[in-house]
Every structure is written in C-alpha cells, then in structure tokens.
Amino acid sequence: MAEQEKAEVLLKVKEKYEPPKEIVERAWIKDYESLYQESVKDREGFWAKVAEELHWFKKWDKVLEWNYPYAKWFVGGKTNITYNCLDVHVQNGKRNKVAYIYLDEDNNEKKITYGELLELVNRIANGLKSLGVQKGDRVSIYMPNTIEAVAVMLACARIGAIHSVVFAGFSEGALRTRIEDAKAKVVFTASYTKRRGKRIDLLPTVEKAIDGLDFVEKVVVWDRGGDVLSEEKGELFVNFDELIKNSSPDCEPEVMDAEDPLFILYTSGTTGKPKGVLHTTGGYMVQTYYTSKTVFDLHEDDIFWCTADIGWITGHSYIVYGILANGVTSLIVEGAPDYPNPGRWWSYVEKYRVNVFYTAPTAIRMFMRYGEEWPAKYDMSSLRILGSVGEPINPEAWHWYYENIGKGKCVIVDTWWQTETGAHMITTVPSYPAKPGKAGKPFFTLEVDIVDKDGKRLPPDTVGFLVIKTPWPSMLRTCWGEPERYEKYWNTIPGVYFAGDLASYDEEGYIMILGRADDVINVAGHRIGTMEVESALVDHPAVAEAAVIGKPHEVKGESIKAFVILKKGIEPSDKLVEELKLHVRNELGAIAVPDEIEFVEKLPKTRSGKIMRRVLKAQELGLDVGDVSTLED
Ligand code: PRX
C-alpha cells in the first residue's frame, strides 16, 4: 500500500520545533495540555464558556442535545452570525476598521471597513427580500473570490436564507447539479473572473446550468464591466448594482435559532453525486470563531490572510465567518498565486505586513519549484504564524515553508479538518512544538482515535482509520435531502464519526494524516470523487466503462488517472484522449480533468461487478495488489 510506505517514511520523523518565546508569550492558549484535559472532563462547559464571548439575542437553554447520530448545540439559543461578524464590531468602535483588503491580478486594491461592509450586506439583504427570498430559501452563489461574493453570503445569513456557494471554477454540469439539488430560488453570479490575465465569463455558464430549471426565479448578475445584461436577456436577470442602489443600508438581522441552517456546501463522496453538507448557525459560529482565535492566535491588530477561495469550506470558515467574528483585517485575493510572477503572494505579505498566513501544501510545493529566490526578494518579517490545510504536508514542503517563508521564526500549524467538520479538529496550537508532517493533537474537547475496521483502537505508529468519538459544535448536521448519507458517517463504525482518512498517532499523541481511505482523490487540496469523474467519462458517447484512480503527484499531491473501455468499433486515439479531457472539463471543471487516460480492454472487477480500483492502483504504482480473492477472474 502506498500509504503504508509513506507512513514508514514519515514515522521516522522525530524532529520537534519549539515555538519562539515571543509567540508563546502572546498566545491565547499557553498550556494546551491542561486545558485539553479540563475540556474533555466538561465538554459542554468548555463550549458554553466560548459561546459566552459571542452575542446571543437569547441565551441557550442547553448546550448539547446528543441523540446519536444527531446533535443539537446551544439548544434554544437565538443569534445571527452576521451580528457577531459585523454589528458587534461597528458598535465597539471599529466602524472604520478595515475588514477586507481585496486584490486582483493587476494589484488593484479595494478596501472595505466593517461599517461599509455592514451597509453593503444590508443593502443586498434588502435586495434579496425584494426578490421574495425568505428565511430557509436557498440561494446559490457562483462568484469569484471577492468582497462582493462574501457580502452576498453574509446577506443570505442576515435574513436566514441558506447559501450554497459553488466554486466559480466548476463548469456548467457541476453547477447545475448543485443548483438543482438545493432547489435554489435565486442564483448570484458575476460577469466574469480573471485568471492568468484571461477573462473567464461566468454568466454563460450560469445560463446553461439553469436552462429548464423552473424553480430558479432570478439570476442576480454583478456586472463588473462588459455590459453583459442586454435588454433581450429578459426578466429572469437582475443587475446587482440596480438591486442594491435604492435599497436601505439598514436591515434588522433575522433572529435565528442556533440550529437554523446557515449554509449548504457540496463536497465529493464515494458516489457520483456530491453531498450537500449542511451547517447550522450557533455551533458553527462558536467553533469557527474560537479556532480562528486560538489556532491562528488572532489579536486586535493582526493582518490575516487565508489564500483559499470562498467556494471551499476553508474560505467559508477562515475567510468569512470565523475571521470576521474576531474582527480582524484580512486579505481576499482573486486570481492565480503565481501570476503575473511567482512573487505575487510574497509582495502582498510585505506590503500589508501580513502576520498570519494560511495556505495549502500544493501551493507551497509549487513555490518550491520556482525557487527560494522569489520569497527572498521580499521583507516578510511581519509573519508570525503559518498555516497549512487541505492535504498532508510532506516534511520537505514543511521545512521549505518554515525556512523560506517563516525564516525559521514562525510557527507552523498544520490544521486537519473537513467540509463536514466545519472547523479545525486536529492541529497544534502556536504554543506547543510542531512536528513536520504531523498535524498535531486533537482540538479542545475532541476525542480522536485511530482504529481498525471493527473500531478497535490500534497501537501507536500503526496506520488505521481516523475516527472522532464525540460530537462537536461545528459538525455537519445532515446531508441535504439525504439523511442516510449523513448517518453513514456515524454507522460505518458504529458509535463514532468516520472521517474517511487514514492516520496514525505517535507515543506523544501527535496525529499524522496519510490521506483518504476511500474512493476520494485529493488533487491540489480539492476533493474529487472517483465516481464523479467516472460518470462524466461514461457520459461521453465513445465510452463504455471507466475507472479512475489517484496517483502520487509531486506538486498536486495526487493526480487523476482514468482507465477507459471504449464502445465497440471505436478506435483509441490521441484526439479522443483530448476530447474526453475536454468533456470532463465541461461536465465538472478543470480540477477534475485526468492527467492521464489509458484505453484498456478490461477492468478488474469483483464477482458482483464492482470495479476494484485498489487493484488498478497497485498495478499502476508497481505495488503488491494485496488480497484479490474477490476478483472475478
Ligand atoms: O483527507 C483530508 C484532507 O482533506 C480532506 C477534507 O477535504 P475537504 O472537505 O475538501 O476540506 C479541505 C479543507 C478543510 C480530509 O478528509 N485534509 C484536510 N486537511 C488536512 C488534510 N490532510 C492532511 N492534513 C491536513 N492538514
């Protein structure tokens, strides 16, 4: 098994990096161990104390109602997350404090203060109301990584509408599936986004995606220039600027029950259809707020930068909700990290004196390739904390990050979590030593274990399944319209949450994540289901059958390889390979396109007809194929 080999290499990593004294001195959490011990003794008490740092219209009656596998947190509590993200700061003298600094690829900068953001959010919220959107209605957001997109998310939360952000790099097929599943009443989009200097139109994609979907009542278009809304587009389309121009900058926040839905975010699972992970208001607010505060150790004057896109959970929790709840200034950046040159990101760190920087290993590995001369050009002495997320960080990349970005003076927090968990779950906090390649220890109150398939605890330094034994505030509450898929997380190994990852722990309790244990591929930190890609391939008229695997990739972590059986009479060709790649791109988006497509006559299957991807992968990587007793022939 490739994971097992990887594990053997990583298990040898014994180094520990002590945090600099100045960082420990200012840290919110000084003594992780004793606080952790305290937190597991009284989970509810711990989270209640955190929740008290936030504003509630009405306090909860009960912290947790655990009706396995369904949890309710802060039962009876009433709040509005936007009130904590915006109004609280405006009332506390931070009206003129910058909330976001936005930058595009041409380094055009736009700043918005907490006061201005509140007004913008309220205008959009009133605009939504004027379109007939009410509490509980779904709104899809297909917009680039911009302040406007964040404001639309917050406007939904302001009035209790459930947002469903769809990454603007997805194509029409993926967008349609998500709009359809959520039955979105309104879709927000922009005329275009820009990447590597190229304009990528978004409106035509939306038009194709909603074709024939009668439940979509309005498409609101943020026209960033280009005059995309001509007369003949008709009444379905609304101009964003027109919508908010005359609407009031005041909008009372909807009083939300702690368990009222906040958003749906689709993510890949092991079947072809993405799952709509549902997060609710109170618990998500509390845990994203508190992990932002303690893991990133945010203080009043910090400048924070999470390089993710709002289309992913990392953007939701650590560009938007958790960060705003802490009232700091953060960067939001549109476009490619290395365009117009590989110094782009580091020039922003220098210019804005960024203190806390959060990115993915795939980006670090890309910058490693460009060479250390790029970060060396800039003064990055403002940095204090460096975060990693999305995939395992290999020790080589860890060291490069530590030396070349952190100059040996920063701490690295390697945060393990998922769309489903809503917030950080396993990570070091800045005041205790990190080990390269190991995420760290469980966050407060969480009991994490590494077990075999029967749920039996494994000894240290053994690879097994990562499970979480106790509910946490920001956990997903269900999968939209598919409770059975939600229940599967908790009954794959009865009684515990099955994360789908392989991991091991060492004698000091540091957890190392090795990658997915299921048919999910992690390409550049993005989750892609093998079945999703297979379905897209099979949808092409030339394809009879397809099987997809992930292969180790130097920069992306994993890349996609597809094995394809063609229909009778169809000849393999390079042209067909390109056609199939284009087809997947149109169906799902660029991130799901296989790097390699191999035409085969047969696929290894079980006697019941299930494709054994494990066998394909072992063959591809030249590894032992393991137990093949169920193989058909
Ligand atoms: O395999 C783990 C990997 O990303 C998966 C979750 O993907 P997603 O829901 O898209 O959320 C990504 C951002 C939170 C996990 O099951 N993963 C995430 N963070 C890490 C990680 N693997 C190793 N180390 C991490 N720090």
Side-chain angles (χ1 to χ4, degrees), residues 72-381:
K72 286 185 180 162
W73 283 88
F74 307 107
V75 184
K78 307 279 179 200
T79 187
N80 185 298
I81 197 165
T82 68
Y83 195 87
N84 280 293
C85 288
L86 302 168
D87 305 59
V88 163
H89 308 312
V90 169
Q91 288 159 19
N92 290 338
K94 291 203 249 177
R95 177 178 291 276
N96 297 322
K97 178 171 179 173
V98 173
Y100 289 111
I101 305 166
Y102 159 85
L103 291 142
D104 70 11
E105 284 181 339
D106 302 316
N107 296 334
N108 292 311
E109 172 200 279
K110 185 160 136 188
K111 289 182 178 167
I112 191 163
T113 63
Y114 274 94
E116 289 163 344
L117 185 59
L118 176 59
E119 286 193 11
L120 176 62
V121 167
N122 284 342
R123 282 183 200 278
I124 304 170
N126 286 323
L128 278 166
K129 283 186 181 171
S130 75
L131 298 178
V133 176
Q134 294 176 355
K135 182 174 174 184
D137 286 342
R138 274 80 57 210
V139 174
S140 292
I141 303 174
Y142 184 71
M143 292 177 81
N145 210 38
T146 51
I147 292 170
E148 285 72 11
V150 173
V152 175
M153 293 166 74
L154 292 164
C156 292
R158 189 82 175 169
I159 66 165
I162 305 171
H163 61 69
S164 162
V165 181
V166 182
F167 173 55
F170 276 129
S171 53
E172 68 204 57
L175 176 60
R176 184 184 179 88
T177 314
R178 287 158 176 77
I179 294 175
E180 214 173 359
D181 191 77
K183 295 263 168 325
K185 195 170 187 176
V186 172
V187 179
F188 274 77
T189 192
S191 44
Y192 66 86
T193 180
K194 260 172 113 177
R195 200 160 173 94
R196 304 194 169 282
K198 221 179 90 198
R199 180 179 153 139
I200 300 161
D201 292 321
L202 298 177
L203 184 56
T205 307
V206 174
E207 288 186 85
K208 280 181 253 165
I210 61 163
D211 187 36
L213 301 183
D214 297 336
F215 50 82
V216 176
E217 292 175 13
K218 291 287 175 203
V219 177
V220 182
V221 186
W222 175 40
D223 193 346
R224 316 171 75 182
D227 211 7
V228 292
L229 286 176
S230 57
E231 296 263 318
E232 72 260 26
K233 283 247 187 272
E235 285 186 2
L236 181 60
F237 298 88
V238 177
N239 184 309
F240 178 83
D241 293 320
E242 296 287 320
L243 180 73
I244 62 174
K245 198 169 63 188
N246 297 318
S247 84
S248 159
D250 297 310
C251 175
E252 279 301 308
E254 185 75 30
V255 175
M256 300 287 280
D257 189 90
E259 282 301 329
D260 277 335
L262 176 62
F263 66 84
I264 303 170
L265 184 59
Y266 287 88
T267 190
S268 295
T270 47
T271 69
K273 191 175 164 257
K275 20 189 178 187
V277 167
L278 183 80
H279 283 288
T280 57
T281 303
Y284 177 83
M285 172 176 85
V286 169
Q287 197 171 335
T288 55
Y289 158 74
Y290 190 65
T291 48
S292 299
K293 175 175 169 176
T294 58
V295 177
F296 298 132
D297 200 45
L298 294 178
H299 294 260
E300 188 57 45
D301 294 328
D302 279 340
I303 308 288
F304 178 80
W305 181 13
C306 165
T307 68
D309 187 284
I310 46 128
W312 311 111
I313 191 69
T314 308
H316 282 60
S317 301
Y318 301 109
I319 291 177
V320 187
Y321 293 112
I323 300 303
L324 290 178
N326 277 276
V328 299
T329 298
S330 76
L331 268 62
I332 178 163
V333 173
E334 186 179 3
D338 54 345
Y339 185 90
N341 64 57
R344 181 181 186 207
W345 277 10
W346 317 128
S347 74
Y348 295 163
V349 170
E350 175 181 87
K351 178 162 184 203
Y352 298 103
R353 311 293 301 146
V354 173
N355 306 110
V356 185
F357 179 75
Y358 192 34
T359 196
T362 185
I364 298 164
R365 290 191 297 262
M366 180 186 77
F367 285 114
M368 281 170 80
R369 283 199 164 179
Y370 286 123
E372 55 212 50
E373 58 272 26
W374 282 101
K377 286 183 214 252
Y378 302 93
D379 173 8
M380 298 203 281
S381 56

Side-chain angles (χ1 to χ4, degrees), residues 557-618:
E558 279 190 292
S559 67
I560 301 175
K561 170 152 187 181
F563 298 87
V564 168
I565 303 181
L566 292 173
K567 284 195 181 143
K568 268 210 165 54
I570 295 182
E571 289 301 315
S573 69
D574 290 347
K575 195 171 150 257
L576 188 53
V577 169
E578 290 317 308
E579 204 181 303
L580 293 180
K581 286 186 180 177
L582 185 67
H583 183 72
V584 176
R585 177 185 287 266
N586 289 337
E587 287 288 303
L588 297 174
I591 52 168
V593 176
D595 279 10
E596 283 174 82
I597 295 179
E598 185 178 328
F599 297 111
V600 292
E601 298 287 324
K602 252 178 129 172
L603 289 169
K605 285 187 186 165
T606 61
R607 275 177 219 113
S608 57
K610 254 182 92 182
I611 296 171
M612 293 180 84
R613 298 185 189 89
R614 173 171 73 77
V615 173
L616 283 170
K617 190 164 174 170

Side-chain angles (χ1 to χ4, degrees), residues 265-268 277 312-315 318 358 361 388-393 413-424 426-427 437-439 466 497 499-502 512-518 520 522 525-528:
L265 184 59
Y266 287 88
T267 190
S268 295
V277 167
W312 311 111
I313 191 69
T314 308
Y318 301 109
Y358 192 34
S388 176
V389 62
E391 43 171 331
I393 179 163
V413 289
D414 176 8
T415 60
W416 177 89
W417 58 296
Q418 308 176 296
T419 306
E420 293 87 338
T421 70
H424 299 154
I426 300 172
T427 173
K438 298 195 174 181
L466 177 67
Y497 172 85
D501 277 354
L502 291 171
M512 180 174 57
I513 313 292
L514 296 147
R516 297 291 302 191
D518 53 11
V520 172
N522 191 329
H526 302 314
R527 253 166 90 164
I528 296 160

